[in-house]
Amino acid sequence: MSKSAINLLEKFSKFSEHWSPKVVAEMNDYQFKLAKIQGDFVWHDHKDTDEVFFVIEGSMRIDFRDGKVELNEGEMFVVPKGVEHKPFAENECKVMFVETRGVTNTGDASGELTAEKDVWV
Amino acid sequence: MSKSAINLLEKFSKFSEHWSPKVVAEMNDYQFKLAKIQGDFVWHDHKDTDEVFFVIEGSMRIDFRDGKVELNEGEMFVVPKGVEHKPFAENECKVMFVETRGVTNTGDASGELTAEKDVWV
């Protein structure tokens, strides 16, 4: 087994594109992914899994059909499975996601923002 | 569903005891837990699940039978299932753990450091 710590800011320094999650760690059948986000994402949900958002740097918002949640650095939120949501960040925000392996970032709403899976950084 | 962000430092401010993980969020059948740690923990492993350590503030070390890993703020590590490890922090360190619901913090090495489960903060 590797004995190196995973430094999140160092990992973030290795890519610049937005809305393109990169895997940094796996735990059982879950993946920890980093993404830089800015602007509007698409409305989508994940039918089979909850999804964790954890803001590492910056701030973002998650819109829901019936409300919203603002997330700042050091704050997290769990979007329950099946709940439609639309992430948004006015300025670039560094986010860590925790998801089951193989989940599609846009859920069923595939399109230009649908990211390739299992890309590690 | 709740629409409030989970602020980790605010959650940490609500308890002071060491080695006593508090649940702050659940995702599917996983739990996100916060603990303040200082000094030596016991050697143990978790037979059925990997375990994520994520340092929120401070620094710590995880000793293995064949090595060690140093973790500073913003760094994480995944201890594979079945691998014996012993966490240590010289000064108080704030850590987030990700584990399956119901896991015992000391594995099979029950003793005075074995914490009550499912305590939320």
Side-chain angles (χ1 to χ4, degrees), chain A residues 92-118:
Chain A
E92 184 178 276
C93 180
K94 297 185 177 75
V95 183
M96 183 168 74
F97 297 91
V98 186
E99 298 175 321
T100 47
R101 190 184 293 139
V103 78
T104 301
N105 66 329
T106 50
D108 294 333
S110 55
E112 62 180 17
L113 286 171
T114 302
E116 192 179 351
K117 297 175 188 177
D118 282 322

mmCIF file of all heavy atoms in Angstrom, chain A residues 92-118:
data_model
loop_
_atom_site.group_PDB
_atom_site.id
_atom_site.type_symbol
_atom_site.label_atom_id
_atom_site.label_comp_id
_atom_site.label_asym_id
_atom_site.label_seq_id
_atom_site.Cartn_x
_atom_site.Cartn_y
_atom_site.Cartn_z
ATOM 1 N N GLU A 92 -14.761 30.865 -9.099
ATOM 2 C CA GLU A 92 -14.251 29.486 -9.077
ATOM 3 C C GLU A 92 -14.231 28.951 -7.648
ATOM 4 O O GLU A 92 -13.763 29.631 -6.726
ATOM 5 C CB GLU A 92 -12.847 29.414 -9.673
ATOM 6 C CG GLU A 92 -12.336 27.984 -9.739
ATOM 7 C CD GLU A 92 -10.955 27.878 -10.384
ATOM 8 O OE1 GLU A 92 -10.873 27.824 -11.601
ATOM 9 O OE2 GLU A 92 -9.962 27.869 -9.623
ATOM 10 N N CYS A 93 -14.697 27.752 -7.484
ATOM 11 C CA CYS A 93 -14.782 27.118 -6.171
ATOM 12 C C CYS A 93 -14.180 25.718 -6.279
ATOM 13 O O CYS A 93 -14.407 25.006 -7.255
ATOM 14 C CB CYS A 93 -16.250 27.047 -5.751
ATOM 15 S SG CYS A 93 -16.528 26.272 -4.146
ATOM 16 N N LYS A 94 -13.394 25.365 -5.266
ATOM 17 C CA LYS A 94 -12.765 24.036 -5.238
ATOM 18 C C LYS A 94 -13.594 23.124 -4.333
ATOM 19 O O LYS A 94 -13.762 23.413 -3.142
ATOM 20 C CB LYS A 94 -11.327 24.134 -4.719
ATOM 21 C CG LYS A 94 -10.399 24.976 -5.599
ATOM 22 C CD LYS A 94 -8.961 24.906 -5.064
ATOM 23 C CE LYS A 94 -7.983 25.659 -5.951
ATOM 24 N NZ LYS A 94 -8.082 27.134 -5.814
ATOM 25 N N VAL A 95 -14.073 22.041 -4.897
ATOM 26 C CA VAL A 95 -15.019 21.169 -4.198
ATOM 27 C C VAL A 95 -14.516 19.731 -4.186
ATOM 28 O O VAL A 95 -13.929 19.267 -5.158
ATOM 29 C CB VAL A 95 -16.399 21.197 -4.907
ATOM 30 C CG1 VAL A 95 -17.414 20.357 -4.140
ATOM 31 C CG2 VAL A 95 -16.886 22.614 -5.069
ATOM 32 N N MET A 96 -14.741 19.048 -3.067
ATOM 33 C CA MET A 96 -14.532 17.609 -3.024
ATOM 34 C C MET A 96 -15.895 16.920 -3.007
ATOM 35 O O MET A 96 -16.782 17.315 -2.246
ATOM 36 C CB MET A 96 -13.733 17.179 -1.791
ATOM 37 C CG MET A 96 -13.447 15.676 -1.792
ATOM 38 S SD MET A 96 -12.230 15.181 -0.562
ATOM 39 C CE MET A 96 -13.217 15.309 0.937
ATOM 40 N N PHE A 97 -16.039 15.917 -3.868
ATOM 41 C CA PHE A 97 -17.255 15.121 -3.921
ATOM 42 C C PHE A 97 -16.972 13.729 -3.380
ATOM 43 O O PHE A 97 -15.881 13.195 -3.572
ATOM 44 C CB PHE A 97 -17.746 14.966 -5.370
ATOM 45 C CG PHE A 97 -18.129 16.245 -6.029
ATOM 46 C CD1 PHE A 97 -17.205 16.977 -6.750
ATOM 47 C CD2 PHE A 97 -19.425 16.726 -5.930
ATOM 48 C CE1 PHE A 97 -17.565 18.167 -7.373
ATOM 49 C CE2 PHE A 97 -19.786 17.914 -6.540
ATOM 50 C CZ PHE A 97 -18.851 18.643 -7.273
ATOM 51 N N VAL A 98 -17.962 13.158 -2.733
ATOM 52 C CA VAL A 98 -17.890 11.745 -2.383
ATOM 53 C C VAL A 98 -19.090 11.076 -3.032
ATOM 54 O O VAL A 98 -20.243 11.486 -2.810
ATOM 55 C CB VAL A 98 -17.906 11.514 -0.866
ATOM 56 C CG1 VAL A 98 -17.679 10.031 -0.547
ATOM 57 C CG2 VAL A 98 -16.865 12.380 -0.172
ATOM 58 N N GLU A 99 -18.808 10.067 -3.845
ATOM 59 C CA GLU A 99 -19.858 9.420 -4.620
ATOM 60 C C GLU A 99 -19.529 7.942 -4.756
ATOM 61 O O GLU A 99 -18.382 7.545 -4.605
ATOM 62 C CB GLU A 99 -19.926 10.021 -6.032
ATOM 63 C CG GLU A 99 -20.271 11.496 -6.048
ATOM 64 C CD GLU A 99 -20.215 12.092 -7.444
ATOM 65 O OE1 GLU A 99 -19.317 11.738 -8.232
ATOM 66 O OE2 GLU A 99 -21.078 12.945 -7.730
ATOM 67 N N THR A 100 -20.522 7.144 -5.103
ATOM 68 C CA THR A 100 -20.227 5.760 -5.436
ATOM 69 C C THR A 100 -19.433 5.724 -6.741
ATOM 70 O O THR A 100 -19.604 6.567 -7.617
ATOM 71 C CB THR A 100 -21.521 4.939 -5.599
ATOM 72 O OG1 THR A 100 -22.440 5.669 -6.418
ATOM 73 C CG2 THR A 100 -22.165 4.708 -4.257
ATOM 74 N N ARG A 101 -18.559 4.734 -6.852
ATOM 75 C CA ARG A 101 -17.785 4.565 -8.075
ATOM 76 C C ARG A 101 -18.736 4.366 -9.248
ATOM 77 O O ARG A 101 -19.716 3.636 -9.153
ATOM 78 C CB ARG A 101 -16.875 3.345 -7.940
ATOM 79 C CG ARG A 101 -15.865 3.201 -9.051
ATOM 80 C CD ARG A 101 -15.078 1.923 -8.892
ATOM 81 N NE ARG A 101 -14.218 1.950 -7.710
ATOM 82 C CZ ARG A 101 -14.030 0.930 -6.878
ATOM 83 N NH1 ARG A 101 -14.642 -0.205 -7.067
ATOM 84 N NH2 ARG A 101 -13.220 1.058 -5.852
ATOM 85 N N GLY A 102 -18.475 5.054 -10.328
ATOM 86 C CA GLY A 102 -19.249 4.840 -11.542
ATOM 87 C C GLY A 102 -20.431 5.760 -11.715
ATOM 88 O O GLY A 102 -21.135 5.690 -12.727
ATOM 89 N N VAL A 103 -20.663 6.657 -10.755
ATOM 90 C CA VAL A 103 -21.800 7.569 -10.881
ATOM 91 C C VAL A 103 -21.509 8.594 -11.990
ATOM 92 O O VAL A 103 -20.354 8.986 -12.217
ATOM 93 C CB VAL A 103 -22.085 8.270 -9.528
ATOM 94 C CG1 VAL A 103 -21.117 9.404 -9.263
ATOM 95 C CG2 VAL A 103 -23.514 8.749 -9.442
ATOM 96 N N THR A 104 -22.541 8.989 -12.706
ATOM 97 C CA THR A 104 -22.396 10.011 -13.753
ATOM 98 C C THR A 104 -22.660 11.384 -13.146
ATOM 99 O O THR A 104 -23.672 11.566 -12.467
ATOM 100 C CB THR A 104 -23.387 9.741 -14.901
ATOM 101 O OG1 THR A 104 -23.117 8.451 -15.442
ATOM 102 C CG2 THR A 104 -23.260 10.792 -15.987
ATOM 103 N N ASN A 105 -21.735 12.322 -13.410
ATOM 104 C CA ASN A 105 -21.838 13.618 -12.725
ATOM 105 C C ASN A 105 -23.129 14.364 -13.039
ATOM 106 O O ASN A 105 -23.632 15.128 -12.218
ATOM 107 C CB ASN A 105 -20.618 14.504 -13.038
ATOM 108 C CG ASN A 105 -20.527 14.920 -14.502
ATOM 109 O OD1 ASN A 105 -20.962 14.190 -15.404
ATOM 110 N ND2 ASN A 105 -19.940 16.077 -14.731
ATOM 111 N N THR A 106 -23.692 14.123 -14.224
ATOM 112 C CA THR A 106 -24.921 14.823 -14.594
ATOM 113 C C THR A 106 -26.172 13.959 -14.390
ATOM 114 O O THR A 106 -27.258 14.338 -14.844
ATOM 115 C CB THR A 106 -24.842 15.255 -16.074
ATOM 116 O OG1 THR A 106 -24.458 14.118 -16.869
ATOM 117 C CG2 THR A 106 -23.827 16.368 -16.272
ATOM 118 N N GLY A 107 -26.037 12.824 -13.739
ATOM 119 C CA GLY A 107 -27.189 11.949 -13.557
ATOM 120 C C GLY A 107 -27.732 11.517 -14.913
ATOM 121 O O GLY A 107 -26.963 11.118 -15.800
ATOM 122 N N ASP A 108 -29.059 11.621 -15.109
ATOM 123 C CA ASP A 108 -29.649 11.280 -16.401
ATOM 124 C C ASP A 108 -29.597 12.438 -17.392
ATOM 125 O O ASP A 108 -29.950 12.278 -18.560
ATOM 126 C CB ASP A 108 -31.126 10.870 -16.211
ATOM 127 C CG ASP A 108 -31.253 9.580 -15.406
ATOM 128 O OD1 ASP A 108 -30.308 8.771 -15.450
ATOM 129 O OD2 ASP A 108 -32.284 9.409 -14.745
ATOM 130 N N ALA A 109 -29.166 13.593 -16.934
ATOM 131 C CA ALA A 109 -29.164 14.787 -17.792
ATOM 132 C C ALA A 109 -27.864 14.880 -18.573
ATOM 133 O O ALA A 109 -27.111 15.844 -18.462
ATOM 134 C CB ALA A 109 -29.374 16.041 -16.939
ATOM 135 N N SER A 110 -27.603 13.860 -19.395
ATOM 136 C CA SER A 110 -26.319 13.863 -20.100
ATOM 137 C C SER A 110 -26.271 15.006 -21.116
ATOM 138 O O SER A 110 -27.276 15.439 -21.650
ATOM 139 C CB SER A 110 -26.083 12.522 -20.787
ATOM 140 O OG SER A 110 -27.151 12.210 -21.631
ATOM 141 N N GLY A 111 -25.054 15.500 -21.350
ATOM 142 C CA GLY A 111 -24.882 16.645 -22.238
ATOM 143 C C GLY A 111 -23.432 17.066 -22.221
ATOM 144 O O GLY A 111 -22.548 16.279 -21.847
ATOM 145 N N GLU A 112 -23.179 18.291 -22.599
ATOM 146 C CA GLU A 112 -21.777 18.724 -22.739
ATOM 147 C C GLU A 112 -21.054 18.784 -21.400
ATOM 148 O O GLU A 112 -19.829 18.800 -21.369
ATOM 149 C CB GLU A 112 -21.716 20.088 -23.444
ATOM 150 C CG GLU A 112 -22.409 21.204 -22.698
ATOM 151 C CD GLU A 112 -22.320 22.527 -23.441
ATOM 152 O OE1 GLU A 112 -22.013 22.511 -24.654
ATOM 153 O OE2 GLU A 112 -22.556 23.569 -22.810
ATOM 154 N N LEU A 113 -21.802 18.823 -20.295
ATOM 155 C CA LEU A 113 -21.155 18.868 -18.985
ATOM 156 C C LEU A 113 -20.914 17.467 -18.405
ATOM 157 O O LEU A 113 -20.328 17.328 -17.339
ATOM 158 C CB LEU A 113 -21.990 19.701 -18.012
ATOM 159 C CG LEU A 113 -21.933 21.212 -18.261
ATOM 160 C CD1 LEU A 113 -22.953 21.942 -17.398
ATOM 161 C CD2 LEU A 113 -20.536 21.771 -17.987
ATOM 162 N N THR A 114 -21.365 16.447 -19.091
ATOM 163 C CA THR A 114 -21.124 15.089 -18.621
ATOM 164 C C THR A 114 -19.636 14.764 -18.713
ATOM 165 O O THR A 114 -19.031 14.876 -19.781
ATOM 166 C CB THR A 114 -21.935 14.072 -19.455
ATOM 167 O OG1 THR A 114 -23.322 14.404 -19.350
ATOM 168 C CG2 THR A 114 -21.705 12.652 -18.941
ATOM 169 N N ALA A 115 -19.065 14.396 -17.584
ATOM 170 C CA ALA A 115 -17.607 14.206 -17.521
ATOM 171 C C ALA A 115 -17.234 12.736 -17.680
ATOM 172 O O ALA A 115 -18.016 11.836 -17.356
ATOM 173 C CB ALA A 115 -17.076 14.725 -16.186
ATOM 174 N N GLU A 116 -16.043 12.525 -18.172
ATOM 175 C CA GLU A 116 -15.484 11.182 -18.245
ATOM 176 C C GLU A 116 -15.307 10.665 -16.806
ATOM 177 O O GLU A 116 -14.999 11.430 -15.888
ATOM 178 C CB GLU A 116 -14.131 11.258 -18.954
ATOM 179 C CG GLU A 116 -13.559 9.921 -19.359
ATOM 180 C CD GLU A 116 -12.214 10.071 -20.076
ATOM 181 O OE1 GLU A 116 -11.834 11.207 -20.393
ATOM 182 O OE2 GLU A 116 -11.557 9.051 -20.279
ATOM 183 N N LYS A 117 -15.509 9.354 -16.631
ATOM 184 C CA LYS A 117 -15.398 8.787 -15.284
ATOM 185 C C LYS A 117 -13.999 8.244 -15.034
ATOM 186 O O LYS A 117 -13.253 7.958 -15.966
ATOM 187 C CB LYS A 117 -16.399 7.644 -15.136
ATOM 188 C CG LYS A 117 -17.848 8.078 -15.269
ATOM 189 C CD LYS A 117 -18.766 6.870 -15.241
ATOM 190 C CE LYS A 117 -20.185 7.295 -15.582
ATOM 191 N NZ LYS A 117 -21.095 6.133 -15.636
ATOM 192 N N ASP A 118 -13.706 8.065 -13.762
ATOM 193 C CA ASP A 118 -12.478 7.389 -13.357
ATOM 194 C C ASP A 118 -11.209 8.053 -13.869
ATOM 195 O O ASP A 118 -10.224 7.380 -14.175
ATOM 196 C CB ASP A 118 -12.507 5.924 -13.798
ATOM 197 C CG ASP A 118 -13.370 5.086 -12.862
ATOM 198 O OD1 ASP A 118 -13.332 5.332 -11.646
ATOM 199 O OD2 ASP A 118 -14.087 4.206 -13.354
#
